[in-house]
Amino acid sequence: MTDTNPTPAMKAELGVGRIIGGAFDLYFKNFPLFFGVVFIPYLIYSSLIVTPFQTAVAEAGMSGDAASVVAPFLTYLAASMVFFILLQAVIVRMSISLHTQLGAQIGAAIKAAVFGLLPMLVLGVLAGLASGIAFLFLIVPGLYVVAIIYVYIPAIVFEGAGFSALGRSETLTKGYRWAIIGLIILLALINIAVMFGAGILIAIVSFAVDPNVVQEASDPVTPVWMNILSSALQAVVLPIGLIASGLVYARLREIKEGGSTGDLLKVFE
C-alpha cells in the first residue's frame, strides 16, 4: 500500500528580507513625502514644545526654584506623547495605502490617527509598561513582548480596533513573533548605522557653517539651527521602521485572513 497520509501544509513565511526590502523601496520612492511629513511637524514640535521646556529648566536652574519646572515638564511629557503617537500613526497609515497603490491618503491618515488617539495613548502606556517590565528580566522577554504588540497601531488606524487592538495584535503575530524579533533587531542595527552616518555628515556641515558649534551645543536651550538639523535627522531615520510595521501588518493579514494587501483599505473605507 502507498502512504496516503496528507503532507502537513507548510507555514507561510513572514519574509523578513522582503519586508525590509519593501520598506526601503517604499521609503526611497516616496522620500520627499516621508521627509516632509516628519520634518515639518518635528520642527514645530521642537520649537513649540521642546524649546520652552528647555528654557523653563534653564531659568529654574538659575533661580534655584525646582518646583517651577513641574508644570512645564508635565506639559512637555503630555505633548510629546500625543505628538509621537500621532506621527507614528500617520506614517503607518500612509505606508500601507502607498503599498497598496492607493496613494498617500494623507487626509485619511490624519483622520484615522486623530480618531484613534485615545486608545493608542492608553494602550501605548500599557504596552510600554509591559515591555519595560519584561526588559527588566532579560532582553529576549522584552523583545518578545514588543513582538506581541508590534501591530497594535496598524490595527487601530486601519480597522478601528480601538481598545481591543492589543488583542488583535496578539492574534495576528501569533506564530511569527521570533521572525518579528529578528526584524526588530535588523531595523535597530540599520537605524544605528543610518544615524551614525547622518550624524557625521551633520557634524561636518555644522562645523563648516559655524566653528563655535561645540560651545553652542552645550547651551541649555537648543539653537534654532540645531533644531532644524535634528528635525532633518529624525525625518531621515524615523519612517523606515514605521513603514516596516505597516508592511508586517499587511503581510500577517494576507497569511492569516487571505486576500491581497490591496483589499485592506477598501474593506475599512
Side-chain angles (χ1 to χ4, degrees):
M1 294 179 61
T2 57
D3 187 0
T4 57
N5 290 331
T7 302
M10 291 184 63
K11 173 183 168 183
E13 293 184 356
L14 180 64
V16 171
R18 186 172 67 174
I19 295 291
I20 292 178
F24 273 99
D25 182 60
L26 203 64
Y27 172 71
F28 285 118
K29 284 182 177 177
N30 301 278
F31 179 78
L33 177 61
F34 283 117
F35 185 90
V37 165
V38 177
F39 176 75
I40 295 173
Y42 205 97
L43 185 58
I44 294 172
Y45 161 77
S46 298
S47 302
L48 299 184
I49 303 299
V50 178
T51 298
F53 173 64
Q54 292 175 334
T55 303
V57 171
E59 291 175 351
M62 289 186 292
S63 65
D65 183 15
S68 64
V69 183
V70 174
F73 172 73
L74 294 177
T75 301
Y76 164 76
L77 185 63
S80 296
M81 289 179 63
V82 171
F83 169 75
F84 283 107
I85 284 287
L86 287 175
L87 188 59
Q88 289 179 59
V90 167
I91 294 174
V92 169
R93 178 63 163 72
M94 282 175 50
S95 300
I96 243 335
S97 59
L98 285 167
H99 175 64
T100 54
Q101 300 181 355
L102 295 174
Q105 298 187 332
I106 297 178
I110 294 173
K111 181 179 178 180
V114 171
F115 278 94
L117 177 60
L118 182 58
M120 283 190 291
L121 281 174
V122 174
L123 297 182
V125 171
L126 294 177
L129 289 173
S131 58
I133 292 172
F135 272 114
L136 289 177
F137 291 94
L138 278 176
I139 293 176
V140 173
L143 287 174
Y144 196 80
V145 172
V146 172
I148 292 174
I149 61 179
Y150 192 66
V151 294
Y152 86 93
I153 288 181
I156 291 174
V157 295
F158 294 125
E159 303 179 24
F163 290 100
S164 64
L166 289 184
R168 176 65 168 151
S169 181
E170 189 275 337
T171 298
L172 285 173
T173 59
K174 188 174 182 180
Y176 292 90
R177 289 166 194 159
W178 291 112
I180 292 173
I181 288 174
L183 174 66
I184 292 170
I185 293 173
L186 286 174
L187 287 172
L189 294 174
I190 290 170
N191 276 350
I192 290 171
V194 172
M195 289 190 72
F196 181 75
I200 291 176
L201 180 61
I202 286 175
I204 293 172
V205 173
S206 300
F207 275 110
V209 173
D210 185 0
N212 298 316
V213 61
V214 174
Q215 180 180 351
E216 292 182 9
S218 63
D219 292 341
V221 180
T222 305
V224 173
W225 69 268
M226 287 188 68
N227 277 336
I228 294 173
L229 289 179
S230 175
S231 300
L233 179 59
Q234 290 296 329
V236 169
V237 175
L238 186 63
I240 299 172
L242 297 174
I243 294 170
S245 70
L247 298 187
V248 167
Y249 167 82
R251 176 59 179 155
L252 290 174
R253 287 207 56 204
E254 279 184 353
I255 293 171
K256 298 203 168 187
E257 298 173 356
S260 66
T261 53
D263 298 327
L264 285 177
L265 294 184
K266 296 175 184 177
V267 171
F268 298 104
E269 285 178 345

